[in-house]
Amino acid sequence: MAKQRNEKLRNIAIIAHVDHGKTTLVDTLFKQSGMFREEQQVEDRLMDSMDLERERGITISAKNCAVRWGDVKINILDTPGHADFGGEVERALSMVDGAILLVDASEGPLPQTRFVLGKAFEAGLKIIVVVNKIDRADARPQEVLNEVYDLFIDLGADDDQIEFPVYYAIGREGICQKTLEERGTDMKPLFEAIVSEIPAPQYDDEEPFQMLVSDLGYSDYLGRLAVGKVINGTARSNESLVRIGAENTVSLRVSKLQIYEGLGTKEVEAAEPGEIIVLSGLEDITIGDTICTKENPKALPRITVDEPTVSMKFSPNTGPLAGREGKLVQSNRIKERLQKETLKNVAIKVEESPDKESYIVKGRGEFQMAILLETMRREGFEVCVGRPEVICKTIDGELCEPIEHLFIDCDETFVGVVTEKLSIRKGRMTNLINNGTGRARIEFSIPSRGLIGYRDEFLSDTKGTGIMNSLLHGYEPHRGDIPSRFTGSIVADRAGKGVAYGLFHLEPRGSLFILPGDVVYEGMIIGAYNKDNDLNANPCKEKKLTNMRASGKDEAIILTPVMPMTLEKAIHFIADDEMVEVTPKSIRLRKKILSQQERHTARGKALGK
């Protein structure tokens, strides 16, 4: 076997924790590689192309782009830093030969850094470490570098991997330097490091064309697009090829062959080994398939991703207000949309539920589910979803559940309340580090279900100053029941519109979710009740006229401001017998059984009366 390297190419991924500056770094690499004209207007955070990514300041899906440095073309993949989008990271790493590990000079390596770096080691990638944001007032680059070494050793790095090159950067200003003392002027040292340190893609010149499908796209003009790296051989346009899937082999003809150039793509007649290409004209293709020549079909190892840990039930909106705000309400449209999501996102699985009307969606975490729901509502869908449930397994005859390794960074004054709340949720403290800076770092081992709904509570307890991150540790024996909610629900007992008078008299009973004038219906949840049972109430109650009524009396009604309901908050709040109704304009909470009488009957049956 004659192994060779294509020295004209480098394929790299940029990996880091959320908010350590990946996307900003890619921006500066773009601007300094001469990809734009000097006077060209360029947006910040070029790679965050989805509206949701721009709003939340996070990367959700891995994206490709390419820059040139001298004679070498560098394909760059910007990967998400959140563990819920780990499926995106895994397929991105299948296309590259090295990675830039970006670490914040103050925060140091955080849980997702560990998660993504572990995946990079499994793929055998060469790593360049960049300590970013060295201009922060609280920067501690030398200590952070020691923490990075500890992390490499902890993850079992071999001798080659531990000898990583280190660079220091201020991504926002477009500066990279080899040492802390010298003041850099541009990103030239990093470009040179990519070319000299990252190995060029390797291929076997005796093997025929082979490509692994690592990503999928869709174009209104070209149909389904398959993205992947050419492992061996040369790809040519209009060539007859075959697709080797999980179960079958299908012939296909490529209508268009494109490669990445800058932020976009350009059409080419042929692509060399090691190049990341986009093929169009392929129907019915999935991530992990191999595309190769008809004469010599050889399958490559399929991409494997971690199993899903959380499931959620998606069903059509059956409430009285169904179809008023969304265009897409039918069960089969929801099914099509969810199946389309599984084609693009390897970490999501969809199963039909026994009632044939709803669908069980399995994924990595409730945040991933919330992002999917938010995307669907923006496309015009109306859906109802149930409470997220963790997926348990039976191992050696014992019920086991997913356990998270939880990292918490908070002021030392809040350590007590955080530890108390997490111990109720069956969390066990495994480590506590207090450097005397006023902040403490605590580690817990906690069931995944114990974290559902905890984030909002955590932010309230730490007055918004706490940082919480977790990653899947594995499966352990079930730790017993966890109290999920200490409040009941205030449920509307009739249809109508909220009235200030009625709502004012409900305020002492709990915290309300609706405003005067909001439409309500029987079975809709309008607030959290102070006690642990449910309260049926009338939010439409008006003040009756009497002959004693004074004209200026009603002006005294001042309601407490209501926090707008967000998707994450709604998903966290609901109990097992409740659902979230998601439409393009509204997020409502409701009981699964809307009728008060039917709920009463069902409760009686459940208690065996």
Side-chain angles (χ1 to χ4, degrees), residues 95-305:
M95 291 190 262
V96 298
D97 305 289
I100 293 176
L101 174 67
L102 205 60
V103 185
D104 187 299
S106 164
E107 294 179 3
L110 287 171
Q112 261 79 42
T113 320
R114 170 186 288 270
F115 170 81
V116 184
L117 185 61
K119 297 287 175 200
F121 280 167
E122 283 173 30
L125 303 182
K126 171 75 179 174
I127 309 289
I128 295 175
V129 172
V130 176
V131 180
N132 195 22
K133 305 187 186 182
I134 55 170
D135 57 332
R136 279 180 63 158
D138 55 352
R140 44 185 192 98
Q142 208 51 55
E143 289 171 50
V144 164
L145 186 58
N146 291 338
E147 288 174 20
V148 172
Y149 275 112
D150 291 344
L151 177 61
F152 270 66
I153 292 162
D154 206 20
L155 288 170
D158 58 33
D159 292 347
D160 288 345
Q161 287 167 326
I162 204 86
E163 293 295 322
F164 53 79
V166 182
Y167 291 84
Y168 302 92
I170 308 172
R172 199 174 44 184
E173 294 177 21
I175 294 170
C176 181
Q177 53 205 52
K178 286 186 180 179
T179 63
L180 281 168
E181 292 72 40
E182 67 170 297
R183 177 71 175 166
T185 52
D186 54 22
M187 286 303 217
K188 188 178 173 185
L190 187 56
F191 277 118
E192 288 175 347
I194 291 169
V195 173
S196 62
E197 299 285 349
I198 302 292
Q202 198 174 39
Y203 66 96
D204 188 336
D205 61 354
E206 292 174 10
E207 289 285 335
F209 168 67
Q210 281 179 305
M211 166 192 164
L212 184 66
V213 179
S214 301
D215 197 2
L216 296 175
Y218 186 80
S219 157
D220 291 336
Y221 307 104
L222 302 169
R224 180 69 54 76
L225 306 172
V227 181
K229 179 173 148 187
V230 180
I231 307 292
N232 293 311
T234 303
R236 289 188 174 79
S237 191
N238 288 320
E239 199 171 15
S240 291
L241 302 168
V242 291
R243 170 185 71 82
I244 304 174
E247 280 116 31
N248 55 0
T249 302
V250 183
S251 298
L252 49 91
R253 181 175 284 278
V254 176
S255 62
K256 197 171 184 182
L257 169 64
Q258 295 168 295
I259 60 170
Y260 286 95
E261 193 67 43
L263 281 172
T265 53
K266 73 168 186 180
E267 191 173 354
V268 289
E269 283 302 309
E272 299 174 344
E275 183 65 271
I276 294 174
I277 61 172
V278 184
L279 299 178
S280 46
L282 321 173
E283 286 307 313
D284 189 32
I285 193 156
T286 54
I287 289 171
D289 290 353
T290 301
I291 296 174
C292 49
T293 56
K294 224 172 195 170
E295 300 76 41
N296 202 341
K298 268 189 183 179
L300 293 161
R302 291 185 75 81
I303 298 172
T304 57
V305 295

Side-chain angles (χ1 to χ4, degrees), residues 331-393:
S331 175
N332 59 344
R333 296 299 292 271
I334 294 168
K335 181 183 180 181
E336 280 170 26
R337 176 65 183 83
L338 292 173
Q339 285 178 336
K340 185 177 160 192
E341 188 67 27
T342 60
L343 293 174
K344 289 197 304 195
N345 191 337
V346 279
I348 280 185
K349 293 183 170 60
V350 176
E351 295 169 8
E352 205 163 358
S353 69
D355 60 14
K356 302 289 184 196
E357 277 295 303
S358 49
Y359 307 94
I360 309 291
V361 179
K362 296 179 177 180
R364 287 288 182 83
E366 76 235 54
F367 184 51
Q368 186 187 32
M369 299 292 185
I371 293 291
L372 172 59
L373 271 170
E374 184 63 53
T375 312
M376 285 176 69
R377 73 185 285 227
R378 289 178 186 207
E379 292 168 7
F381 281 90
E382 281 195 18
V383 286
C384 280
V385 292
R387 183 177 168 79
E389 293 175 13
V390 298
I391 301 167
C392 294
K393 287 181 178 178

